Amino acid sequence: ELRTAQALLDLAKPDVARAAKTLEALAKEKPGDAVLRFHWGRALARQGRTKEAIDEWREAVKLNPKAVE
């Protein structure tokens, strides 16, 4: 999906806040998508929101352990 690709590009750039906002919205639209949850966690971690990032990573692993290897 285009929004996912844009969010991942934003995450690679300095625009982490934009990436986090987009990934959060996508994860809420698709709560069972482990890969989105994993990348949302990455964005949160890059913002220094460590506890929230860990929560997202745990959820991603619960949803699909192989998707986040």
Side-chain angles (χ1 to χ4, degrees):
E1 177 179 310
L2 184 58
R3 286 179 22 201
T4 302
Q6 183 62 53
L8 294 178
L9 286 172
D10 291 339
L11 187 55
K13 298 179 193 175
D15 203 349
V16 176
R18 180 172 144 174
K21 183 177 178 180
T22 302
L23 288 164
E24 179 180 15
L26 288 166
K28 287 181 179 180
E29 289 173 21
K30 301 176 183 180
D33 189 323
V35 174
L36 283 174
R37 303 295 287 260
F38 172 76
H39 289 300
W40 183 20
R42 287 181 55 217
L44 291 168
R46 297 232 359 243
Q47 290 181 306
R49 298 165 62 184
T50 309
K51 183 185 177 331
E52 292 168 276
I54 291 169
D55 290 344
E56 289 308 314
W57 290 330
R58 284 185 177 144
E59 187 61 29
V61 169
K62 263 197 278 186
L63 289 167
N64 187 348
K66 293 187 183 275
V68 294
E69 288 180 342

